[in-house]
């Protein structure tokens, strides 16, 4: 049947290079390519209802740099690997995808937005034993609760005043400009 809302919210942060069975860098595959695949497969159903797509991204997208090498090399982990950079790149890809969905689908009534839900005390920080994530775990008591992120998503789903907004980026509860690379149509 029709799909009214799709919230893409899978995420990992792998500090060591890992490849999927298809030879893709795991962070990009999980955080972006998975969203891309499910969204494109559900587009006909979303178009039936003038549906809404919410791509959960991160303020980390501002540190993403998808111009530093070919996208093929970035997506396959063929460059000097840095887990933090891979995470930021995947989150920039989320915002770029949101903008491209807006360009291609707004006339069909499908809207898309990207959202940074806040720095939240979730299990993403527990998945690796790398020193950066071990350090981040020390700050979990000072991070927001997962409910803050859930509320930010819910507002974009349920409040009518957000229904017509498309191609924009939200930082928790506020619409803010995205990183400069997020407007690069060539990317």
């Amino acid at each position: 049947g029709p799909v009214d809302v799709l919230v893409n919210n899978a995420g990992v942060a792998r500090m060591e290079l890992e490849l999927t069975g298809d030879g893709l860098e795991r962070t990009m595959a999980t955080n972006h390519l998975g969203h891309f695949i499910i969204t494109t497969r559900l587009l006909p159903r979303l178009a039936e209802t003038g549906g809404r797509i919410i791509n959960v991204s991160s303020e980390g997208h501002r540190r993403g740099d998808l111009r530093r090498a070919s996208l093929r090399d970035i997506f396959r982990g063929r460059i000097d690997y840095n887990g933090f950079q891979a995470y930021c790149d995947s989150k920039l890809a989320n915002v770029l995808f949101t903008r491209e969905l807006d360009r291609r689908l707004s006339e069909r009534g499908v809207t898309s937005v990207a959202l940074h839900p806040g720095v939240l005390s979730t299990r993403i920080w527990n998945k690796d034993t790398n020193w950066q994530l071990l350090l981040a775990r020390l700050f979990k008591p000072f991070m927001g609760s997962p409910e803050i992120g859930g509320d930010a998503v819910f507002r974009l789903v349920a409040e009518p005043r957000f229904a017509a907004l498309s191609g924009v980026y939200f930082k928790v509860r506020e619409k803010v400009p995205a990183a400069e690379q997020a407007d690069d149509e060539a990317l």
Side-chain angles (χ1 to χ4, degrees), residues 7-84:
V7 178
N8 289 312
N9 187 33
V12 299
R14 306 309 301 169
M15 293 300 117
E16 301 297 325
L17 176 62
E18 292 181 21
L19 299 178
T20 67
D22 296 324
L24 298 167
E25 189 275 316
R26 185 168 307 282
T27 299
M28 183 64 78
T30 303
N31 296 359
H32 174 63
L33 295 173
H35 296 112
F36 178 86
I37 291 167
I38 196 167
T39 300
T40 55
R41 288 189 177 169
L42 290 175
L43 280 179
R45 292 178 177 189
L46 286 155
E48 288 177 34
T49 62
R52 183 138 182 85
I53 302 163
I54 299 168
N55 291 312
V56 178
S57 184
S58 166
E59 274 291 281
H61 88 278
R62 298 183 188 287
R63 306 263 334 246
D65 183 4
L66 296 175
R67 294 176 182 154
R68 71 184 190 287
S70 74
L71 292 178
R72 180 178 308 273
D73 287 344
I74 292 171
F75 280 41
R76 298 224 176 251
R78 293 184 186 145
I79 54 175
D80 289 336
Y81 187 79
N82 174 299
F84 181 71

Side-chain angles (χ1 to χ4, degrees), residues 62-170:
R62 298 183 188 287
R63 306 263 334 246
D65 183 4
L66 296 175
R67 294 176 182 154
R68 71 184 190 287
S70 74
L71 292 178
R72 180 178 308 273
D73 287 344
I74 292 171
F75 280 41
R76 298 224 176 251
R78 293 184 186 145
I79 54 175
D80 289 336
Y81 187 79
N82 174 299
F84 181 71
Q85 186 66 54
Y87 177 80
C88 294
D89 289 347
S90 72
K91 294 307 178 174
L92 174 58
N94 294 154
V95 181
L96 281 161
F97 184 46
T98 299
R99 299 282 172 96
E100 188 62 24
L101 287 168
D102 176 55
R103 281 191 279 280
R104 292 179 184 221
L105 301 174
S106 61
E107 63 190 35
R108 293 173 58 189
V110 177
T111 61
S112 62
V113 295
L115 165 72
H116 166 67
V119 179
L120 307 174
S121 180
T122 67
R123 290 180 298 191
I124 196 169
W125 308 107
N126 301 345
K127 300 293 182 181
D128 211 327
T129 57
N130 160 295
W131 70 267
Q132 292 112 321
L133 291 177
L134 289 171
L135 182 64
R137 283 185 217 156
L138 296 174
F139 291 95
K140 282 181 75 171
F142 306 103
M143 296 177 185
S145 72
E147 290 79 14
I148 291 171
D151 178 64
V153 171
F154 185 74
R155 285 177 60 246
L156 295 175
V157 169
E159 290 187 24
R161 65 188 167 125
F162 297 114
L165 290 178
S166 189
V168 298
Y169 175 76
F170 285 87

